[in-house]
Amino acid sequence: MNSTRVRDLRLVPLALTVWGTALGCVFFPAIAWWIVAIGVAVGLGILALIVQSKRRRRGGLLVVIALAAVATAMTAGFSIPQRDAAAEWDGRVVEVLGEVASSASTGSDGRLWFDVQTRAVGASGASEPLAVPMRVGTERIPGLDLGAIIRVTGQTSVTDPGERAALVLFGNNVEVVIPAQGVFGVAAHTREEFVKRATGLPEPGAGLLPGLAVGDTRAVSEELNAAMLTSGLSHLTAVSGANCAIVVGAVFWLVALCGGGRMLRITLAMTALAAFVVLVTPEPSVIRAATMAGLAMLTLMCGRPSAGVGVLCLAVVGILVADPWLAATPGFALSAAATGALIVLAPPLTRGLERWMPLPLALALAIPLAAQLGCGPIIALFSEQQSLIGVAANILAAPAAPIATVIGLLACLAAPIPALADLLAASAWLPAAWISTTATITADLPGAQILVVPGIGMAVLVAVLSVALGVVLCGTTRVHNRWVRIGSVIVLLVAVALTGARALLAGPLAVMTVPEGWSIAACDVGQGDALVVRSEGQIALIDTGIDPDLLTSCLNSLSIDRINMLVLTHFDADHVGAVPAIIGRVDAVLHGPVDTPEDQRLLDALATEGASLSLASTGLHGMLGSAAWDVLWPRKDSAAFPAGNDASVVVEFAGGEVPRSLFLGDLSEVPQRMLSAQLQGTYAVVKVAHHGSADQDPGLYERLQPAVAVFSAGVDNDYGHPRTDTLALLEAAGAQSLRTDLQGRILIGAADGKLTVWTERAEDPGSTADVDDPG
């Protein structure tokens, strides 16, 4: 047993070296071939020493490490020329011919997003061969299944170093050239039939069931998706290691129940896992999850948990050698961390918890807790939210998840027998409804999550807390140093005290931290807009962002209970997604053009709770306290700009203590240019259009000459907002740039011809600054 553990631990440096090599190559591509050269030289040198040395076993491992690093760097090196060629198309309208390489999901912008492996890229009708991974967002059309060949036209945007996709394409015209064929076509048809059958069931549970069974999340509502994230159950709504582990475990158990031997159990379990991967689309994330979970489950079920670390390391190495760009993706890190926690941390946690509770309950608690402790530091690197009820929610959902997954899969496979398929789908609906209800209820609990500033510092803090909690819970089974245990207890007590103080400051005492003289506020709601204008106690809210909790937190901190005027510039999710949080608290709604039945249902919900509705168009005006407001865009009954970004409501506020300010929604360059022609004078505050995208009209900002430019964007968002050239554009116009992604909530006030700015965080957090008001 001890020798096995030593052998397994020796593979850890191999995995870490390959991971580090992959990260270096994807973030700094120029070093890839240098690593190849150095690795070959080092490997040959070690090989020469081995020949003359007796310690060949240790030397052999070093040679393997060098060869693995070389292989990883070579994979990256051979991909770099194609990616460089793709980068030359940045910002241009192109036609792409490629193969769909992932399942599709709805993004916060309402587009359908999926991965494509390109075959040719270029100008319309003149594309040239080019093979790179690309992320594509288009309108929803049937047939976008894995393996389908599509032709799509749209504008490209180059990705940041380290991202797996070489380009992002915002498609406006997509055509399925060749539908998915063979086994992929059969799997796509089977999935579609199951999704139709599942979504015909009542809510809650209907939209979630396809996600639990086959990883199709298109029917999951935005509200439920947000609740799943808050409650720490989001891993169940897509194909994760949990789904794969359930499939492997269920088949292994069933074969054992029928008297099958260990080899037969393993063979059938792996066959079932392979079939499951094909059914739910074998995209890279699914293959990764299946590999990790399958290996972890097999090492446990075969009675060889001590071999798990070594097997996990080999899996990491194999995956990264094949695709080095996965090293920089959060999903891969989370899969590896969760699998490692299941193998290494869950057993001692179970033994430690068994001191206070029965073994079955200890095991049920240890598995989600181990995953939470292992994944927490990684989540803190990129997420603005940390769930505090994830373990409890997972314990409540744990009994239902495997039932919904297994029965849902059987319902999917039983499609040729409709009566049986209906019966199985209805049976799977009950556990799916339980999970949906669990997510909704737990997400609404006070303190269900805390908002944090993501980054290395937060990751280190969460790692320290995770280690301390693990030490305390594992007890004497692993930790024999008394001072380590005492130190861990002290760390946790300090964390609890600080969390309690933060809860008071964010709750009952929040209003005491807000200055009195503000008239404009930009809430930090992530990648979205939510801006507040205040005059003589009257409140206008311009858009809501996508997250109800973030919006509610901001409004509470500003002591806002009633909204006199709600402006919905347009109906993208990042502008209206949090509307449910304020239904029943709104007097009047000013909205942009309605495009879909979902848009109208949102407005109807507001109207049902007492809000009056008005369609905004140029010339509409009114008063908010002592401040006058005017709608400057869109033009009434305009056929040139359909509902969406280019028909965003643009509204101006001025008068009283409100500085002259302009809120540009998500307007693009062309409507900005048309709007510019009708504007007069300068503005003190401008909310920059479309979160600071590159699609801006320089002439508009030159005309406006704002003193302050507000950018509402999420931390490290996928769109690269605000773009560097847009920041430079506003700087050239003489504006001071304020960004919610960097500075959090922003408050602006006006007095004696000057603007005063308060920021929640900055280079000097909580700082204030005075800016001349040109108005």
Side-chain angles (χ1 to χ4, degrees):
M1 182 68 71
N2 290 336
S3 63
T4 300
R5 289 176 180 171
V6 171
R7 184 170 63 252
D8 287 343
L9 292 179
R10 286 180 179 178
L11 294 179
V12 172
L14 171 64
L16 293 178
T17 300
V18 170
W19 204 323
T21 301
L23 286 173
C25 291
V26 301
F27 281 104
F28 308 101
I31 70 172
W33 291 110
W34 285 103
I35 291 178
V36 171
I38 294 172
V40 169
V42 170
L44 290 175
I46 295 173
L47 195 60
L49 291 175
I50 289 176
V51 175
Q52 304 175 3
S53 173
K54 296 181 179 180
R55 298 184 177 182
R56 298 185 178 183
R57 185 174 180 181
R58 182 176 300 176
L61 178 60
L62 293 177
V63 172
V64 171
I65 291 175
L67 291 177
V70 168
T72 306
M74 289 181 66
T75 302
F78 284 124
S79 302
I80 289 169
Q82 292 283 80
R83 297 176 71 93
D84 289 342
E88 296 177 1
W89 293 100
D90 180 32
R92 298 166 65 179
V93 175
V94 301
E95 180 182 271
V96 173
L97 180 69
E99 179 178 341
V100 177
S102 76
S103 56
S105 59
T106 303
S108 60
D109 58 358
R111 294 174 182 267
L112 205 62
W113 288 92
F114 52 92
D115 294 330
V116 168
Q117 183 66 30
T118 68
R119 295 184 175 183
V121 177
S124 180
S127 56
E128 300 175 355
L130 183 64
V132 293
M134 179 181 288
R135 189 72 175 162
V136 176
T138 70
E139 70 273 14
R140 186 183 296 270
I141 68 167
L144 296 176
D145 303 306
L146 184 83
I149 306 300
I150 66 170
R151 180 177 289 107
V152 57
T153 303
Q155 186 171 18
T156 62
S157 175
V158 70
T159 57
D160 294 328
E163 292 194 35
R164 188 172 184 275
L167 287 173
V168 174
L169 179 70
F170 299 89
N172 51 32
N173 184 24
V174 59
E175 171 194 1
V176 178
V177 180
I178 303 175
Q181 303 290 315
V183 66
F184 295 138
V186 173
H189 177 72
T190 304
R191 284 196 309 273
E192 286 299 325
E193 288 295 315
F194 175 66
V195 171
K196 290 178 182 177
R197 179 169 281 110
T199 52
L201 297 168
E203 293 290 357
L208 182 62
L209 182 54
L212 293 170
V214 295
D216 193 312
T217 61
R218 290 175 294 175
V220 177
S221 67
E222 294 171 3
E223 294 79 9
L224 179 57
N225 186 58
M228 298 286 284
L229 286 169
T230 301
S231 60
L233 297 175
S234 59
H235 61 93
L236 299 178
T237 62
V239 180
S240 64
N243 302 81
C244 299
I246 289 170
V247 171
V248 173
V251 174
F252 199 91
W253 176 77
L254 285 173
V255 177
L257 193 65
C258 296
R262 175 169 292 180
M263 186 55 65
L264 181 61
R265 280 177 267 168
I266 294 174
T267 301
L268 292 181
M270 291 297 97
T271 302
L273 181 60
F276 176 70
V277 167
V278 172
L279 178 63
V280 300
T281 67
E283 55 190 294
S285 63
V286 174
I287 295 174
R288 177 192 70 226
T291 302
M292 298 289 191
L295 290 171
M297 292 297 293
L298 283 177
T299 56
L300 292 175
M301 291 185 295
C302 293
R304 296 289 303 278
S306 61
V309 174
V311 174
L312 174 61
C313 290
L314 290 176
V316 168
V317 170
I319 292 172
L320 291 181
V321 168
D323 190 347
W325 273 266
L326 287 174
T329 60
F332 180 77
L334 290 172
S335 287
T339 306
L342 178 65
I343 295 171
V344 176
L345 191 54
L349 276 176
T350 301
R351 292 190 292 269
L353 293 173
E354 193 181 0
R355 295 174 296 168
W356 303 309
M357 60 189 70
L359 178 59
L361 182 59
L363 182 61
L365 181 61
I367 291 175
L369 182 59
Q372 192 92 351
L373 295 178
C375 296
I378 299 170
I379 295 173
L381 282 172
F382 58 86
S383 176
E384 297 177 345
Q385 305 172 6
Q386 282 283 330
S387 175
L388 299 182
I389 44 84
V391 173
N394 273 277
I395 291 174
L396 291 172
I403 298 173
T405 299
V406 172
I407 299 180
L409 273 173
L410 293 175
C412 184
L413 298 175
I417 311 174
L420 178 59
D422 289 339
L423 176 62
L424 290 170
S427 302
W429 170 85
L430 184 59
W434 171 263
I435 294 172
S436 179
T437 304
T438 299
T440 303
I441 293 176
T442 55
D444 288 338
L445 292 175
Q449 66 177 4
I450 58 173
L451 304 180
V452 298
V453 180
I456 295 177
M458 184 55 62
V460 171
L461 175 60
V462 173
V464 170
L465 294 175
S466 297
V467 170
L469 183 59
V471 167
V472 171
L473 293 179
C474 289
T476 57
T477 56
R478 287 292 184 188
V479 181
H480 303 284
N481 190 316
R482 176 168 169 262
W483 293 107
V484 172
R485 293 198 299 274
I486 293 174
S488 298
V489 172
I490 292 173
V491 167
L492 293 178
L493 290 176
V494 171
V496 170
L498 292 176
T499 302
R502 179 188 176 98
L504 286 174
L505 290 174
L509 303 181
V511 296
M512 298 177 63
T513 65
V514 177
E516 289 292 331
W518 70 272
S519 55
I520 298 174
C523 292
D524 181 11
V525 291
Q527 183 64 12
D529 278 4
L531 300 109
V532 180
V533 179
R534 182 178 71 169
S535 177
E536 294 184 346
Q538 298 284 295
I539 299 295
L541 174 64
I542 305 168
D543 290 329
T544 68
I546 192 173
D547 190 319
D549 292 332
L550 294 179
L551 177 66
T552 299
S553 176
C554 181
L555 296 180
N556 288 344
S557 70
L558 299 174
S559 301
I560 295 173
D561 181 62
R562 192 77 190 172
I563 297 165
N564 305 100
M565 175 182 175
L566 173 63
V567 180
L568 300 179
T569 61
H570 60 300
F571 289 90
D572 282 355
D574 57 333
H575 291 257
V576 302
V579 164
I582 55 173
I583 289 178
R585 300 162 56 190
V586 178
D587 294 332
V589 179
L590 197 64
H591 62 87
V594 176
D595 185 38
T596 67
E598 288 78 9
D599 301 345
Q600 189 59 53
R601 281 195 289 269
L602 186 69
L603 294 175
D604 291 343
L606 288 162
T608 300
E609 296 298 326
S612 62
L613 306 179
S614 299
L615 178 62
S617 61
T618 303
L620 196 62
H621 61 277
M623 298 295 294
L624 179 79
S626 60
W629 57 265
D630 290 274
V631 175
L632 306 181
W633 192 270
R635 295 175 180 174
K636 190 173 183 179
D637 300 326
S638 172
F641 300 105
N645 287 356
D646 288 348
S648 293
V649 177
V650 175
V651 61
E652 169 190 317
F653 285 85
E657 296 181 352
V658 179
R660 192 181 187 204
S661 48
L662 188 66
F663 301 86
L664 291 169
D666 274 4
L667 284 194
S668 64
E669 181 178 2
V670 174
Q672 284 181 31
R673 189 177 305 118
M674 297 178 66
L675 173 66
S676 177
Q678 69 187 60
L679 298 177
Q680 300 293 328
T682 59
Y683 286 80
V685 179
V686 170
K687 199 291 294 186
V688 178
H690 205 179
H691 320 289
S693 74
D695 195 8
Q696 309 285 343
D697 174 38
L700 172 65
Y701 297 101
E702 291 175 8
R703 179 183 289 271
L704 298 178
Q705 292 293 300
V708 167
V710 177
F711 294 86
S712 184
V715 176
D716 295 330
N717 60 85
D718 294 336
Y719 309 98
H721 296 160
R723 299 297 291 266
T724 303
D725 49 357
T726 304
L727 291 167
L729 174 65
L730 269 300
E731 181 181 357
Q736 175 182 335
S737 293
L738 301 174
R739 300 170 51 175
T740 59
D741 60 330
L742 297 182
Q743 294 158 297
R745 185 190 60 205
I746 298 165
L747 304 178
I748 302 170
D752 302 324
K754 286 187 177 295
L755 299 179
T756 302
V757 177
W758 298 270
T759 60
E760 184 177 13
R761 60 180 184 267
E763 290 80 11
D764 179 17
S767 63
T768 66
D770 290 331
V771 183
D772 288 335
D773 181 353

